[in-house]
């Protein structure tokens, strides 16, 4: 078969190996789509030239553009600690830290596992820099955000 696209529901080495071997076997020109976990500098490096044009489903806004209020806040916080290298991973970590801090605040001073869980479940609807959190007793998915980004020829993500 000569597919136009391949959707990979894998992460790490299996993804690199598949793309590299597929290309080596003459599959050049096929559009690959991958999960958000492939959105790291280490993964781009591991793919090398075979990564150019690979599409990654990012679950956070583009961390290199300050057009989004959450990203602008994140960039300001990163620069305040002397960090000027942005990434999807550090943005997601920043958001996770914000959510945990808010859940801890809401859980109160007598922290227990149950109080923390209840506080986290009560975060539904919380505005985090222009994005609303969707936690509840029935949903453990904070955001429903997905943006497709592409690995460019320079080893950086492009929109």
């Amino acid at each position: 078969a000569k597919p136009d696209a391949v959707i990979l529901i894998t992460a790490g080495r299996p993804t690199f190996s598949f793309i590299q071997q597929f290309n080596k076997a003459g599959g050049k020109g096929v559009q690959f789509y991958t999960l958000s976990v492939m959105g790291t500098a280490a993964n781009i490096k591991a793919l090398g030239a075979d990564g150019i044009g690979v599409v990654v489903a990012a679950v956070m806004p583009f961390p290199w553009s300050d057009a989004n209020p959450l990203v602008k806040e994140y960039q300001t916080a990163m620069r305040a600690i002397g960090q000027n290298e942005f990434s999807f991973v550090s943005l997601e970590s920043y958001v996770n830290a914000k959510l945990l801090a808010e859940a801890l605040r809401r859980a109160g001073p007598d922290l227990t596992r149950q109080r923390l869980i209840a506080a986290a479940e009560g975060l539904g609807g919380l505005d985090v820099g222009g994005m609303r959190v969707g936690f509840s007793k029935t949903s453990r998915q904070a955001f429903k955000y997905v943006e497709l980004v592409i690995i460019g020829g320079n080893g950086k993500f492009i929109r």
Side-chain angles (χ1 to χ4, degrees):
K2 295 196 182 264
D4 293 324
V6 175
I7 300 170
L8 296 163
I9 309 298
T10 57
R13 189 167 310 282
T15 305
F16 314 144
S17 295
F18 181 87
I19 292 172
Q20 291 163 340
Q21 291 175 28
F22 192 93
N23 286 341
K24 191 175 184 179
K28 286 271 186 195
V30 170
Q31 184 66 64
F32 293 102
Y33 293 86
T34 65
L35 299 174
S36 63
V37 294
M38 292 301 296
T40 68
N43 290 336
I44 292 173
K45 185 177 180 182
L47 278 168
D50 288 307
I52 298 170
V54 171
V55 177
V56 176
V59 296
M60 286 280 123
F62 201 69
W64 298 276
S65 169
D66 66 0
N68 179 295
L70 174 62
V71 174
K72 189 173 189 170
E73 177 187 316
Y74 151 78
Q75 288 179 352
T76 300
M78 290 286 284
R79 288 185 180 112
I81 61 168
Q83 296 294 320
N84 294 306
E85 294 293 320
F86 308 131
S87 71
F88 287 109
V89 173
S90 65
L91 174 57
E92 188 168 1
S93 298
Y94 177 78
V95 171
N96 288 338
K98 283 181 64 105
L99 294 176
L100 178 58
E102 181 60 20
L104 287 167
R105 186 189 71 72
R106 290 183 183 198
D110 298 320
L111 185 63
T112 65
R113 176 186 167 106
Q114 294 307 77
R115 288 184 66 156
L116 181 59
I117 290 170
E121 290 174 344
L123 291 178
L126 177 70
D127 185 307
V128 183
M131 295 177 69
R132 295 234 174 250
V133 176
F135 281 134
S136 71
K137 288 182 185 245
T138 58
S139 174
R140 298 293 193 251
Q141 183 176 348
F143 300 109
K144 292 183 168 69
Y145 183 92
V146 176
E147 175 178 10
L148 299 178
V149 295
I150 302 170
I151 301 172
N154 61 356
K156 306 270 186 207
F157 286 105
I158 57 175
R159 293 169 117 176

